[in-house]
Amino acid sequence: MISSLERHLLSRRQILQGAAGLSAAAMMGSRAFAAPSTPISFVGWQYQPQIVEENVKSFMKLYDENVNYELVSGDYHPVAETKLTGGQHIDMLYSEENYIARWHAANWIRDIESLPGVADIKAGMFPVSVESLSLPNGGPLCGLPYYAGYNTFLYNEEHLAKAGVQAPETWDAVLDVCRKLKKDGISEAPFHAMWQQQWPDMSWYMFAAWYSEGAKVFDADGNFVDEPALRKILEINQTFYKEKLVVEDIMTLPGEGVPSYASGRHTFMVVHDYNHKVANDPAVSKIAGKVRNAIMPGATRSTMAWTAAYLMGSQPVDEERVWNLLQFFGGKAKDGQYHVIKRWALEFGLGSGYKEVMQDPEIVASFSKWRDLDISAKQLGMATSRAIGKAIWFPEWDMFMMQQVQEYIRSGSSTDQLVASLAAKASELKAQYQ
């Protein structure tokens, strides 16, 4: 049975084809057709929502569409899961890559592999982004890239010049330089990082640091790996806190701790690469022009890389309409332009999963003003994607890990005890989801 919406769309197509040689414009005036009465529902997290609203309006104007954009405040993924569990209809939503397999298994989202143009879209993406946005083991593509990024190691070059030292290349050296900076009165809290208990903060920081030291964290079968590299990173961070080389309230600072770093209080920071733009922006940073990026310290000098996603709900109000919205936000619009992606890059420094975008001369020129592109390219080439994120139980372990690591750092408790609890939780969750 044809629904009223389907009849409406069919009528639109017939009008556009023209009747008795009349154009749609001649039949309907200056507007070819009215926007659909049923809106596309779009749910997003708290990053520049006013810009998202403007982008939604641009889409509606270009496609003569109707979209209801809903901003989720608070911890996005648990709130989104609550909405989905409660049966709220969502056509498109944000997600980090480690929720894709989980939400697909729950039948909250669908894959997009068979939609028009997907083969060409995948060919234009970096392989790591295709992997991030697909189901495990070479499964189908489930989303389009919101942005692609990695955790970068920043330093205040003025602080290092005063101390007469170079950017450290090992975590032991970072600790030693921090001690010197504090002793010499150059910085009271020289080390800074995202230690807040949020999905993009403590979690991403810990994995970036673990990967930089060569820790596996999990093996190919999803088993937690207790090894010296993992323990070393835990103990280094506990020492930062114990020796007061970080600010006491580092775990509760707003804005991923970026405003605190931009104040000039700190020397080093491990943070999302796009926040380097904020640190070098004279409008908001007291240390603009002094912040440089370096390769992560550590035994392997790797870091964590990721690609955030736009996903399609499992029962879109209209597949063609929602696919248009996904492509407008996560790729090229029907006019061949990367409207949203290029805006994120130029205005906020967000990297892209598309090769073409990252080679765009305008974006290259913009990025080169606030970071060393050679170093960032080298770092990205050494980065590690978090494969364990595709395990449907991983988000629960990840939240547990952040809670436990924060308490371990604050309390100065046993590394043996922490590692045992992390391993036990992984085993428990794996068994529950089998």
Side-chain angles (χ1 to χ4, degrees), residues 33-277:
F33 47 79
S37 59
T38 303
I40 300 171
S41 62
F42 167 28
V43 172
W45 54 52
Q46 297 182 87
Y47 183 77
Q48 302 296 337
Q50 74 283 1
I51 302 297
V52 180
E53 289 176 356
E54 292 174 12
N55 291 334
V56 168
K57 290 177 182 177
S58 296
F59 170 78
M60 291 195 292
K61 182 177 180 181
L62 181 63
Y63 286 82
D64 206 356
E65 261 292 1
N66 184 3
V67 178
N68 178 38
Y69 164 57
E70 179 184 353
L71 171 65
V72 168
S73 58
D75 200 355
Y76 173 79
H77 291 96
V79 174
E81 285 200 355
T82 299
K83 291 177 178 293
L84 292 163
T85 302
Q88 178 174 331
H89 178 85
I90 301 175
D91 292 307
M92 186 176 90
L93 69 165
Y94 288 172
S95 175
E96 291 300 344
E97 59 185 45
N98 53 295
Y99 280 81
I100 291 176
R102 178 182 176 89
W103 290 358
H104 186 270
N107 198 35
W108 292 331
I109 64 165
R110 53 161 290 177
D111 75 72
I112 60 173
E113 187 74 30
S114 63
L115 295 181
V118 165
D120 290 338
I121 290 172
K122 289 172 69 173
M125 279 195 271
F126 293 104
V128 68
S129 290
V130 175
E131 180 184 353
S132 294
L133 299 173
S134 301
L135 292 178
N137 304 314
L141 191 72
C142 279
L144 293 186
Y146 169 15
Y147 81 103
Y150 64 93
N151 272 352
T152 187
F153 184 68
L154 302 182
Y155 67 93
N156 183 324
E157 65 176 354
E158 184 176 69
H159 285 190
L160 295 193
K162 288 181 179 178
V165 298
Q166 301 294 316
E169 298 184 357
T170 67
W171 283 104
D172 288 327
V174 173
L175 184 57
D176 288 340
V177 172
C178 284
R179 287 166 172 157
K180 176 176 174 55
L181 289 162
K182 187 175 180 73
K183 180 181 178 182
D184 293 351
I186 297 170
S187 172
E188 281 299 306
F191 188 74
H192 200 55
M194 304 177 299
W195 281 10
Q196 302 80 13
Q197 191 178 299
Q198 296 285 342
W199 48 270
D201 298 345
M202 174 63 88
S203 170
W204 290 8
Y205 165 72
M206 287 306 304
F207 273 86
W210 276 327
Y211 290 155
S212 75
E213 191 62 23
K216 299 181 186 67
V217 193
F218 288 91
D219 64 20
D221 295 322
N223 300 309
F224 183 78
V225 180
D226 177 7
E227 57 185 323
L230 180 133
R231 288 173 173 256
K232 178 174 182 175
I233 292 300
L234 291 169
E235 290 163 1
I236 285 280
N237 282 278
Q238 192 181 64
T239 302
F240 284 141
Y241 191 84
K242 179 182 179 181
E243 297 188 10
K244 299 183 179 180
L245 300 172
V246 298
V247 289
E248 188 175 358
D249 59 348
I250 187 173
M251 297 180 189
T252 56
L253 288 172
E256 301 163 0
V258 176
S260 184
Y261 188 75
S263 72
R265 303 168 69 191
H266 318 288
T267 304
F268 303 114
M269 186 172 191
V270 177
V271 69
H272 308 144
D273 63 307
Y274 60 80
N275 279 320
H276 190 177
K277 186 176 190 298

Side-chain angles (χ1 to χ4, degrees), residues 370-398:
W370 51 269
R371 77 180 184 190
D372 187 316
L373 292 179
D374 290 337
I375 290 176
S376 63
K378 183 177 180 181
Q379 183 69 87
L380 191 55
M382 301 165 68
T384 303
S385 61
R386 189 165 63 177
I388 190 62
K390 296 297 177 68
I392 61 176
W393 50 266
F394 175 77
E396 294 176 49
W397 181 90
D398 199 39

